[in-house]
Amino acid sequence: WTLPLNNTDKAKFTKLINKPGTGSMLRGHFTVEGPVADTWVKMSAFSKGVIFVNGKNIGRYWPAVGPQKHLFVPSVWLHKGENELILFEVENMPDSELFVELVDYPDIGSC
């Protein structure tokens, strides 16, 4: 089967009660206070998947393989105030609390 990811508005989300399983789509929100700037999403706690910010496909992540460990989010795709992040994890959810970090520096791995 296929899972078209060209329109995340069609995804239906429910409140998370238990740890989600493999192939889960998660949605969260974050707030930008102050000037909007380029940022990176640090995905070290997750295994393999895709990230969307405000409906834009930021890219695929696979921190164990790389090369990049952080995904770039251009400032023009962010809003001052509330922003939406959707994560589609295809392998394993972290055993710890589910969160992503937004950082102001890249980690493109080593060549």
Side-chain angles (χ1 to χ4, degrees):
W1 57 271
T2 62
L3 178 63
L5 295 175
N6 59 351
N7 187 351
T8 56
D9 291 337
K10 294 181 181 181
K12 295 187 190 307
F13 296 92
T14 59
K15 186 171 175 106
L16 188 63
I17 297 170
N18 298 313
K19 178 183 168 184
T22 301
S24 294
M25 190 172 280
L26 305 172
R27 179 177 61 189
H29 296 90
F30 61 95
T31 303
V32 174
E33 297 173 351
V36 177
D38 291 345
T39 193
W40 286 262
V41 181
K42 184 177 180 180
M43 295 304 301
S44 55
F46 288 85
S47 298
K48 181 180 178 184
V50 181
I51 297 177
F52 300 85
V53 172
N54 295 329
K56 304 283 188 194
N57 185 338
I58 300 304
R60 297 178 290 181
Y61 61 89
W62 196 357
V65 175
Q68 78 272 11
K69 309 291 183 186
H70 301 171
L71 295 176
F72 178 65
V73 183
S75 61
V76 296
W77 289 357
L78 296 172
H79 313 296
K80 187 167 185 158
E82 186 172 278
N83 293 266
E84 178 185 67
L85 186 141
I86 294 177
L87 180 145
F88 178 53
E89 172 63 48
V90 298
E91 286 193 344
N92 300 309
M93 287 292 174
D95 289 327
S96 60
E97 184 179 4
L98 299 175
F99 70 94
V100 298
E101 265 185 276
L102 301 176
V103 296
D104 61 357
Y105 57 92
D107 181 353
I108 56 171
S110 59
C111 297

